[in-house]
Amino acid sequence: MHIVVLAKVVPDYEVPSADFELVGNRAHPRYARMIGLYDENAVELGVQLKEKHAAGLTIVSYGLHEDVQFLRKAIAMGADKIVLVEGTSDDPYVIAANLKEAIDKQGEVDLVLAGRQSSDMDRGVVPGLLAGMLDYPFVPQACSVESVADGWKVAQITETGKRLMKLSGKGVLSITSVPENVPRIPAVKAIFAAKKKPVEKLPEIGARPMGVSEISVSIPKIESVCELIPAEDMDEAARTLFRRLKEERYL
Amino acid sequence: MERVPYWNISFGLLIDLLSIPAMAIFVYGLYRHWKRIKQGRSRIRLGIPVSALKIGPLYVRSFLANGIVGTRIYKKLFTGIAHGCLLWGMIILTIGTTLVFLNVLFGLPVFKGDFNRWFMGATLDAAGVAALVGVLFLLMRRVFPPERLTIFKSNSAFITIEVVIAVIIVTGFLVEGVRIAQTGPDPGSFVGNALALLLVNVALPEIHRYLWWIHGLIAISLIAYIPYSPLVHLVLAPINAGLDTPVPGPKMGVIDFEAFEGEGEEVPSLGLSRLADFQWKNLLDASTCLQCGRCHEVCPAAQTGKSLSPKGVMVTLSEYLEQGKMEDDSVLEAISTDAIYSCTTCAACMEACPVSVNQPNAILGMRQHLLMERSEIPDIMGQAHRSLEARHHPFIGTGFGPNDWRKGLEVPIFEKGKTEYLLWIGCSVAYEERTQKITRAMVHILKTAGVSFGILEENRCTGDPAKQMGNEFLFTEIAGQNIEEFNELGVSSVITMCPHCFNSFTRHYPLLGAKFAVIPHAVFIRDLIDKGAIRLSKGTETICYHDPCYLGRHNKVLSEPRQIVDAVGQLVEMPRSGNESFCCGGGGGNYWTEEEGTRINQTRALEALDTEADTIATACPFCMLMLTDGLKKHTEEQKVKDIAELVSSRMEV
């Protein structure tokens, strides 16, 4: 069994909005870089599957050479190797095409896991596009997966609860965050070992971009208006606050 | 008439001869302890450089103060006095008995003149009375024990020993009384003379003979039994105290990870998971522990219903050691992950321990194993840890960037060769709205005083939370980066506002190559006041001061903050203060814990509130946040302030 996890290195996704600034329409380089939030959940799930089924686990990423140092965390968590396609495109179609090329080069792949959306662009379209290109079924918002005869049993988080599905053969799953896939903290020995694990670098392939171009990027301005609620006691304050929130349609 | 040793006794020298096998059994017992203890391996730690008077490995001051005089025993007055009476009484009696031997063997003239009257008579009798009173008090404590003596384990062997000691003392007095009744009064022997009056009609030589042999044989047997009983603390406690460096706190040292990067070097098991991994000092601690429970009584985790008990940890280690389970890694499960992570590293247990046991060192060592080998960490602490790893600060979900604290404030950046002091910001005073006021107050003070200071352009943590959570590796990485930047900038003097930063800079950074002086803001501000660089208007408000563990107990900065408080208002003390202060609950990474049961910060906040002081002062941003939060349960008033805020608001321009 061979599992591929897609992981993208992104700028710190927890930078407070008040501190956020752009350089060249992208996050300022002063922010720390790290594997995307949901991608880490996908890596954790991949490692759990690897441990359960003695599977091979490959991390495939599209990004910069400098990203390798951050991707090594996935190796320390339990992956076997990193495959990095070096490229700078933001176009989901180009990214998906490059990832497909890299996955094709890995031989037999039984399952592809990805974060439900990247933590920088939040589009969540690459896994779906990739599934189309690979001609695999795609299940978004998956939270758990287990191997069954001829396929996978997948749990999907929906707005109202959880849906269990059977996936025949191979597939692409985009993973959402649940307590069961909170990324583990790599053991120190694994961090040391990760330094010696192989990194395969692939050149970018030319791919047709989508017919969408970026016109501008802006940071929404957050305005805060402070209003004191006059009240005699906490009970009255809470009631007044609740009424006001409903009036203003926040609730 | 001069006293005749071995009066009425045939072959009395047999007692002297029996002392030889007794001593052999005694020495063999100690050797067994040594064999167990030396199995602990210490492979990867660097020591803390200490400049103190040493004889071999023994620190003279620790040995004398905590090992011989036993100063910490007396923190519990009645128990301390009883213990002192018993210990010193028995030592004096042993000296007296030895003098009798020397008189018999070499004719040492101890039964003549004033020496006989005042030492062999009065002093020995007084020592016997003191020892008897002491042992009876301690026996009653064991029969009607306080909770601390029974929790986890009640050491019932003490009851047997105390009864035996009482029998030895009573038979000794009876032997003396019967002898005096037969031979006439002894000068100075006030107990013997009094007993002789009572025994005059029953003082048969046969009774004397039997009592003499019973007394002698039990005493000899007790000596042989010492190393096989809790009484072994008579030997181990002074040694343990003497081996304890005079530096307060857990003394974790650092791990030299670079050693593992060498060719062919295998990374050994990190942290402590089996007794074989422990340092031999940890095993000596476990052997020395009397299970008195003083540590349990002061432990903030234990006292608020958490699963941790420092006594419980030592009891478990000691049982595994006694059973020879050196390679058994179930010891962590026996203690439990919850317990290991509940430790706030406040070191109150160490401060309370009468035999210098270093409980936090063992607990943190096990925590290191859980995190660095097994990746086990409580959820919220794990999130903080991940943030620290990725962002170099542990304040998950903060609404602030690293420079938000200085918005609208002119703060100089440290310039190489021009700036004198680096004002270290770190994480805790940058990422929380409440603590940002401490930093701004400190900048105000330094500017007003005309101090040449600057901050780093890129703010980050010391890595101390990683160390406290058990990730020595991450700490070493962060510390390495900080040291490199300090060296590039030529930083020689650093001012800290967080005691955790101060502790890390002074305790651990030097072991990683740092060479700079560090001053906690409490000391720096006090010095500014003393030099007249800032002038304060003293108010009438009452202020109680909460000692942060890492500033007070860990680093003994106790008087300076109080001097500051005294300069701005009226100092009020809490019942638990100074070295005996109670933790705010935030140490050891527990700032990022969802506490179960009673919350430590609420307990401490109530203590502060109960002083009825107008303001609660502290000198640690973590204490500030914890107490502010804890106070919300009891009052809506915002009463907690840092000493920098107090000073800043009271400065005369």
Side-chain angles (χ1 to χ4, degrees):
Chain A
M1 187 186 291
H2 186 192
I3 297 164
V4 163
V5 178
L6 309 180
K8 184 180 184 185
V9 174
V10 297
D12 184 357
Y13 42 81
E14 269 200 10
V15 174
S17 52
D19 191 46
F20 193 75
E21 58 179 311
L22 296 172
V23 173
N25 278 356
R26 291 293 175 268
H28 195 289
R30 73 180 160 91
Y31 302 125
R33 290 180 69 74
M34 55 195 74
I35 297 176
L37 178 68
Y38 295 111
D39 293 353
E40 280 202 347
N41 295 123
V43 173
E44 173 60 33
L45 188 55
V47 174
Q48 289 174 13
L49 287 170
K50 176 191 168 174
E51 288 170 347
K52 196 169 178 184
H53 303 294
L57 182 61
T58 302
I59 305 298
V60 176
S61 184
Y62 173 87
L64 305 170
H65 161 76
E66 294 76 30
D67 292 346
V68 170
Q69 58 182 306
F70 306 106
L71 290 169
R72 283 201 191 277
K73 185 184 177 189
I75 296 268
M77 285 170 71
D80 300 312
K81 71 167 181 174
I82 296 168
V83 177
L84 174 72
V85 185
E86 291 187 84
T88 55
S89 176
D90 264 343
D91 187 302
Y93 195 90
V94 173
I95 295 169
N98 276 284
L99 292 172
K100 178 193 180 292
E101 185 78 3
I103 290 168
D104 284 345
K105 288 196 164 113
Q106 303 310 309
E108 195 68 18
V109 171
D110 299 282
L111 189 67
V112 178
L113 306 177
R116 60 181 265 190
Q117 65 204 53
S118 64
S119 304
D120 52 351
M121 305 304 274
D122 273 353
R123 290 177 298 216
V125 294
V126 170
L129 285 172
L130 176 66
M133 291 175 183
L134 288 167
D135 200 18
Y136 288 1
F138 172 56
V139 180
Q141 304 268 65
C143 65
S144 71
V145 56
E146 58 181 280
S147 176
V148 291
D150 302 326
W152 305 90
K153 194 160 87 179
V154 180
Q156 184 187 44
I157 296 284
T158 67
E159 196 178 338
T160 50
K162 195 185 273 190
R163 189 160 65 135
L164 270 181
M165 287 181 291
K166 168 89 185 328
L167 183 68
S168 299
K170 302 167 178 184
V172 176
L173 313 179
S174 76
I175 307 299
T176 193
S177 169
V178 288
E180 290 74 26
N181 62 24
V182 169
R184 68 191 61 194
I185 292 168
V188 169
K189 276 178 191 165
I191 294 171
F192 274 96
K195 292 178 183 170
K196 296 168 188 168
K197 291 274 180 76
V199 177
E200 185 182 334
K201 287 188 186 160
L202 300 173
E204 190 172 19
I205 58 159
R208 179 177 58 83
M210 291 169 75
V212 179
S213 57
E214 187 176 285
I215 298 169
S216 71
V217 176
S218 59
I219 304 171
K221 284 192 177 139
I222 295 172
E223 290 177 1
S224 64
V225 180
C226 185
E227 181 185 327
L228 289 174
I229 296 174
E232 288 294 317
D233 56 35
M234 290 298 284
D235 284 351
E236 192 189 337
R239 275 196 297 274
T240 310
L241 176 63
F242 186 68
R243 194 173 58 244
R244 287 297 310 278
L245 289 172
K246 285 187 86 171
E247 282 168 7
E248 300 291 334
R249 294 179 179 276
Y250 290 110
L251 292 175
Chain B
M1 187 178 79
E2 189 174 316
R3 181 177 151 186
V4 179
Y6 298 163
W7 172 85
N8 190 38
I9 303 297
S10 308
F11 308 109
L13 271 173
L14 274 177
I15 286 290
D16 304 61
L17 293 173
L18 281 174
S19 68
I20 295 169
M23 285 308 292
I25 297 168
F26 175 88
V27 171
Y28 176 71
L30 291 182
Y31 171 70
R32 278 179 19 140
H33 278 283
W34 162 242
K35 259 179 72 176
R36 275 190 213 146
I37 290 161
K38 74 166 188 172
Q39 292 178 84
R41 295 192 286 261
S42 177
R43 294 166 300 180
I44 51 178
R45 296 188 184 282
L46 302 176
I48 297 174
V50 180
S51 56
L53 182 60
K54 282 177 85 178
I55 297 174
L58 284 184
Y59 292 93
V60 173
R61 189 180 167 155
S62 305
F63 178 70
L64 292 176
N66 298 329
I68 300 299
V69 179
T71 45
R72 286 177 181 164
I73 292 273
Y74 298 95
K75 284 183 179 174
K76 288 201 176 290
L77 192 61
F78 294 116
T79 312
I81 290 171
H83 184 275
C85 284
L86 175 60
L87 173 70
W88 294 107
M90 291 304 283
I91 286 175
I92 291 168
L93 289 172
T94 307
I95 292 169
T97 308
T98 309
L99 290 176
V100 175
F101 285 164
L102 294 176
N103 173 273
V104 173
L105 295 176
F106 307 111
L108 194 70
V110 295
F111 295 120
K112 286 182 178 167
D114 285 347
F115 187 80
N116 180 47
R117 173 189 292 272
W118 294 114
F119 185 80
M120 299 304 286
T123 304
L124 292 189
D125 273 15
V129 170
L132 187 60
V133 170
V135 81
L136 290 178
F137 178 90
L138 295 176
L139 185 59
M140 293 311 287
R141 294 284 284 179
R142 291 284 165 181
V143 176
F144 304 103
E147 190 199 3
R148 66 182 173 87
L149 286 177
T150 55
I151 191 121
F152 281 95
K153 190 178 180 184
S154 174
N155 208 330
S156 55
F158 270 115
I159 294 181
T160 314
I161 291 164
E162 281 154 4
V163 168
V164 169
I165 292 173
V167 168
I168 292 170
I169 297 167
V170 170
T171 51
F173 276 134
L174 288 175
V175 167
E176 186 184 39
V178 176
R179 173 178 57 80
I180 290 172
Q182 292 281 325
T183 61
D186 257 3
S189 299
F190 58 94
V191 178
N193 292 338
L195 277 174
L197 293 175
L198 296 172
L199 298 169
V200 68
N201 294 323
V202 290
L204 301 173
E206 289 73 21
I207 291 176
H208 172 267
R209 200 174 298 124
Y210 289 128
L211 282 173
W212 191 94
W213 279 107
I214 289 168
H215 172 79
L217 289 172
I218 295 177
I220 290 282
S221 304
L222 183 67
I223 290 170
Y225 181 56
I226 284 173
Y228 309 90
S229 75
L231 265 188
V232 73
H233 75 270
L234 282 171
V235 181
L236 297 186
I239 296 171
N240 201 45
L243 293 173
D244 190 30
T245 64
V247 178
K251 299 173 275 268
M252 292 302 292
V254 296
I255 296 176
D256 181 13
F257 287 98
E258 282 183 12
F260 309 142
E261 306 218 0
E263 208 173 319
E265 185 80 33
E266 282 292 314
V267 181
S269 176
L270 297 169
L272 311 174
S273 64
R274 306 161 305 153
L275 289 197
D277 297 328
F278 281 61
Q279 299 173 67
W280 61 264
K281 175 65 170 67
N282 295 132
L283 302 186
L284 179 59
D285 281 344
S287 299
T288 309
C289 175
L290 294 163
Q291 298 161 4
C292 68
R294 291 190 187 204
C295 54
H296 179 91
E297 223 171 40
V298 297
C299 172
Q303 292 308 306
T304 52
K306 314 294 182 295
S307 52
L308 172 69
S309 163
K311 176 183 171 182
V313 171
M314 283 299 134
V315 165
T316 307
L317 294 181
S318 150
E319 285 176 348
Y320 269 66
L321 189 60
E322 278 172 23
Q323 292 160 18
K325 294 178 175 175
M326 295 303 292
E327 303 291 337
D328 190 340
D329 63 1
S330 67
V331 66
L332 262 67
E333 279 68 39
I335 291 168
S336 95
T337 304
D338 276 354
I340 291 167
Y341 274 109
S342 295
C343 175
T344 65
T345 69
C346 71
C349 49
M350 293 182 68
E351 192 69 34
C353 182
V355 292
S356 302
V357 169
N358 190 337
Q359 300 91 337
N361 187 291
I363 295 168
L364 289 175
M366 290 185 275
R367 192 181 283 188
Q368 286 179 341
H369 183 84
L370 287 175
L371 186 64
M372 289 195 288
E373 292 278 337
R374 300 190 193 178
S375 307
E376 284 179 35
I377 185 169
D379 287 344
I380 302 175
M381 212 187 271
Q383 289 173 35
H385 179 278
R386 275 188 283 276
S387 177
L388 188 58
E389 192 178 27
R391 306 181 182 92
H392 283 182
H393 77 76
F395 283 80
I396 36 176
T398 176
F400 296 97
N403 297 317
D404 282 340
W405 69 269
R406 58 183 164 111
K407 274 189 180 158
L409 198 67
E410 284 283 316
V411 186
I413 301 295
F414 188 92
E415 290 183 74
K416 186 173 185 176
K418 291 184 182 171
T419 313
E420 187 178 359
Y421 293 100
L422 172 72
L423 178 63
W424 173 259
I425 304 303
C427 58
S428 56
V429 292
Y431 291 104
E432 284 285 339
E433 190 172 20
R434 177 65 191 90
T435 45
Q436 286 174 355
K437 290 177 185 169
I438 302 172
T439 332
R440 294 171 74 88
M442 192 63 199
V443 168
H444 179 216
I445 293 167
L446 295 175
K447 279 184 167 179
T448 306
V451 175
S452 164
F453 78 99
I455 60 169
L456 294 181
E457 268 190 298
E458 285 190 25
N459 180 32
R460 61 166 168 260
C461 177
T462 52
D464 185 68
K467 191 176 182 79
Q468 291 190 43
M469 290 177 195
N471 196 337
E472 192 70 27
F473 181 71
L474 181 57
F475 165 74
T476 309
E477 276 197 332
I478 297 174
Q481 289 169 19
N482 286 334
I483 291 169
E484 197 178 317
E485 186 173 356
F486 281 21
N487 288 344
E488 280 172 13
L489 284 171
V491 172
S492 59
S493 300
V494 179
I495 304 167
T496 56
M497 284 167 285
C498 174
H500 295 269
C501 296
F502 173 72
N503 191 69
S504 219
F505 279 148
T506 52
R507 291 287 177 87
H508 311 125
Y509 274 52
L511 302 174
L512 298 167
K515 292 185 178 78
F516 48 83
V518 191
I519 311 153
H521 77 319
V523 176
F524 199 84
I525 293 171
R526 196 280 313 265
D527 289 349
L528 291 178
I529 297 168
D530 281 359
K531 285 189 286 193
I534 50 174
R535 282 177 299 156
L536 304 173
S537 61
K538 188 177 170 88
T540 54
E541 68 174 326
T542 50
I543 305 167
C544 85
Y545 175 68
H546 161 80
D547 286 275
C549 303
Y550 273 71
L551 195 63
R553 196 156 38 231
H554 280 245
N555 288 290
K556 303 298 174 199
V557 179
L558 296 162
S559 61
E560 293 89 342
R562 286 179 166 75
Q563 288 164 26
I564 293 169
V565 169
D566 215 28
V568 295
Q570 314 299 320
L571 176 66
V572 176
E573 290 288 2
M574 278 189 264
R576 292 191 272 193
S577 62
N579 283 329
E580 272 77 42
S581 179
F582 193 67
C583 181
C584 72
N590 280 280
Y591 176 77
W592 295 277
T593 300
E594 198 61 53
E595 273 187 72
E596 290 188 4
T598 310
R599 294 180 62 179
I600 297 171
N601 61 342
Q602 291 175 352
T603 305
R604 183 57 170 169
L606 184 61
E607 273 187 30
L609 201 60
D610 283 347
T611 63
E612 297 181 353
D614 301 320
T615 301
I616 300 162
T618 189
C620 169
F622 283 102
C623 293
M624 146 80 72
L625 291 168
M626 293 298 288
L627 290 177
T628 302
D629 181 64
L631 215 56
K632 284 178 190 163
K633 182 181 164 69
H634 311 293
T635 176
E636 287 174 35
E637 278 186 87
Q638 302 282 321
K639 296 187 85 160
V640 190
K641 287 186 178 168
D642 188 89
I643 51 168
E645 292 176 286
L646 289 174
V647 169
S648 174
S649 65
R650 284 271 170 195
M651 278 196 299
E652 291 176 349
V653 181

